[in-house]
Amino acid sequence: MEILWVLMALAMFSLVLLPVLMRRRAGIQQVAPGDPDAADPANYGFLRQEELDIRMPGPDHDLLDVLDLVQRTQDYRAASQLLAGTETAGERRWQRVQAFAGAASLELQQRPGGVSETPGGQWLRVWRAEKPKDAGSAAVHAEFLVQQAWRTSTPGTDEFRIIMEEARAACDEAALLSPGDPVPYIIELSVARGLAYPEPEFEKLWLKILDRAPSHMGAHLAALHYWCEKWHGSREVAYSFAETAAARAPQGSLLAAMPLFAVFEHLPEVNLVRSFYQSEVVTKAVHGALFAVHAARPDDPMLAHVRHLLVFFLVRSERWSEAMNQLVHVDGHVGALPWTLTADPAADYAIYRALAVAGYEANGGSPATLSH
């Protein structure tokens, strides 16, 4: 019994000591704010933490303008027009559907309504009622129900199942209104995960997406969740799915970064091995993601998603200069993995950014040496 207590004490001691040793080895010394030696992210043109936008991974000015207008006026028409003018099979349509649904869901959470108060997200209900044949409103409504299920109830409960079944019916309706649109089926991937579709049923759904948008990065990320160990697959199955997608990725596709997302989904909850982030599996996945970023179109809507995850892994791997090169491109918007998994995405991102700046400067970097 004494040996067990000793081992537990050593493990706890390692958890405390390891970060200190890592900082010392990298040459990073923690100093008080305002100290002349303190690394200041503002020197690189980075925004202050309170200025970071947590709604999106990267800029979409048309979407932000419309979101502000809709939420200010509670008039859905600008949202309907924006979605109608957005390419059906593209990544941006999927992101915009998510954003509108998320905005309505958050409004409802903040203003659930009452005797004398109109509930939040009323514009979506009016949109759906006045434009029942609008494919955009149908897709946003289906995604809204999915987000409500995950946000307000617990998987496995009757409440969760009822909302998800309603979302499933909404996906079917949205698909009928826009036959070539992959978005209703991508939304249903989350329903499939929540309701534990059998593998044959999930594969049938996945084939419908591949028929419409075989290189859709957002769809692949949604499907990856289903195959993860914590849901309905395993580490091996998830890695295989991600590596197959990367191998089949067309030139310039960000699907080459899929293995990095698979690694992230299976990170150990407690890691006492410092070399883990320099391991072969992590290094290979990081290199694949870096290759994908360099080959992608600068306006690819999914590019910011990959860059944000690269920041996480590059900082953990103490590859400071490469982390800084990614930060230059994404700073300002932090609505992406891994930051959105925390209660305060901006704060979590700011910590990693500060570590990157400190590591970069500890190894001779400065604003003058950072390429933009």
Side-chain angles (χ1 to χ4, degrees):
M1 188 65 180
E2 288 79 9
I3 293 177
L4 180 60
W5 281 108
V6 169
L7 291 174
M8 290 176 64
L10 287 173
M12 294 300 295
F13 180 72
S14 299
L15 284 171
V16 174
L17 184 61
L18 187 59
V20 177
L21 294 176
M22 289 176 67
R23 285 197 296 271
R24 288 183 176 177
R25 178 170 177 175
I28 303 173
Q29 299 296 324
Q30 190 171 8
V31 296
D35 188 287
D37 293 328
D40 187 357
N43 293 336
Y44 297 84
F46 296 149
L47 296 182
R48 295 193 302 270
Q49 179 179 323
E50 59 270 21
E51 297 175 324
L52 296 171
D53 191 328
I54 65 172
R55 294 174 295 178
M56 300 167 57
D60 182 344
H61 300 298
D62 290 340
L63 173 61
L64 291 177
D65 289 344
V66 169
L67 265 177
D68 289 339
L69 177 63
V70 168
Q71 292 187 304
R72 186 174 68 254
T73 65
Q74 291 294 296
D75 188 334
Y76 67 84
R77 286 177 294 180
S80 178
Q81 292 170 3
L82 182 65
L83 283 184
T86 305
E87 181 189 2
T88 301
E91 304 280 356
R92 198 172 297 282
R93 180 177 175 84
W94 166 229
Q95 291 189 3
R96 287 174 172 176
V97 166
Q98 285 183 298
F100 285 129
S105 180
L106 284 173
E107 279 187 37
L108 182 59
Q109 181 181 2
Q110 294 164 359
R111 301 195 314 275
V115 176
S116 60
E117 182 186 37
T118 301
Q122 181 68 17
W123 54 268
L124 177 55
R125 286 182 284 276
V126 174
W127 184 8
R128 196 76 195 97
E130 293 186 355
K131 295 283 186 99
K133 301 300 182 182
D134 186 334
S137 75
V140 173
H141 178 243
E143 174 65 15
F144 168 81
L145 290 171
V146 167
Q147 293 195 27
Q148 281 294 100
W150 292 109
R151 193 188 303 276
T152 64
S153 54
T154 303
T157 62
D158 288 342
E159 180 186 8
F160 181 85
R161 181 184 56 77
I162 290 170
I163 301 175
M164 277 298 190
E165 290 289 359
E166 186 180 354
R168 184 177 190 172
C171 288
D172 290 341
E173 185 175 357
L176 288 174
L177 290 172
S178 184
D181 188 351
V183 169
Y185 300 104
I186 299 173
I187 297 170
E188 192 178 348
L189 290 173
S190 187
V191 177
R193 176 163 56 97
L195 294 181
Y197 281 20
E199 287 186 18
E201 188 176 355
F202 183 87
E203 292 284 8
K204 184 178 179 180
L205 171 62
W206 182 238
L207 287 175
K208 291 179 181 178
I209 295 171
L210 292 183
D211 285 343
R212 291 162 175 79
S215 300
H216 200 290
M217 179 75 171
H220 279 79
L221 291 176
L224 177 65
H225 289 307
Y226 177 91
W227 294 118
C228 284
E229 188 173 62
K230 59 189 174 185
W231 287 104
H232 310 297
S234 66
R235 180 191 302 266
E236 292 73 25
V237 171
Y239 278 19
S240 176
F241 175 81
E243 288 163 3
T244 299
R248 295 176 179 173
Q251 179 66 30
S253 169
L254 286 166
L255 288 177
M258 283 296 298
L260 189 64
F261 286 87
V263 170
F264 177 76
E265 291 294 337
H266 294 87
L267 288 176
E269 291 187 10
V270 178
N271 175 41
L272 300 179
V273 182
R274 179 181 178 274
S275 61
F276 172 79
Y277 288 94
Q278 287 87 29
S279 65
E280 181 180 358
V281 64
V282 173
T283 300
K284 182 180 177 181
V286 166
H287 286 169
L290 287 170
F291 169 80
V293 164
H294 291 316
R297 300 189 326 271
D299 63 344
D300 191 314
M302 294 301 294
L303 187 54
H305 285 274
V306 181
R307 290 191 187 279
H308 277 290
L309 197 62
L310 273 169
V311 169
F312 173 86
F313 277 98
L314 290 169
V315 168
R316 289 291 187 99
S317 303
E318 300 179 21
R319 296 166 64 166
W320 313 117
S321 179
E322 291 169 292
M324 291 293 287
N325 286 333
Q326 299 304 319
L327 285 166
V328 165
H329 292 284
V330 300
D331 194 74
H333 297 83
V334 297
L337 288 175
W339 328 120
T340 51
L341 296 179
T342 66
D344 191 342
D348 201 47
Y349 167 84
I351 290 171
Y352 275 78
R353 185 180 64 182
L355 286 171
V357 170
Y360 182 64
E361 294 187 354
N363 288 276
S366 71
T369 61
L370 182 63
S371 58
H372 287 72

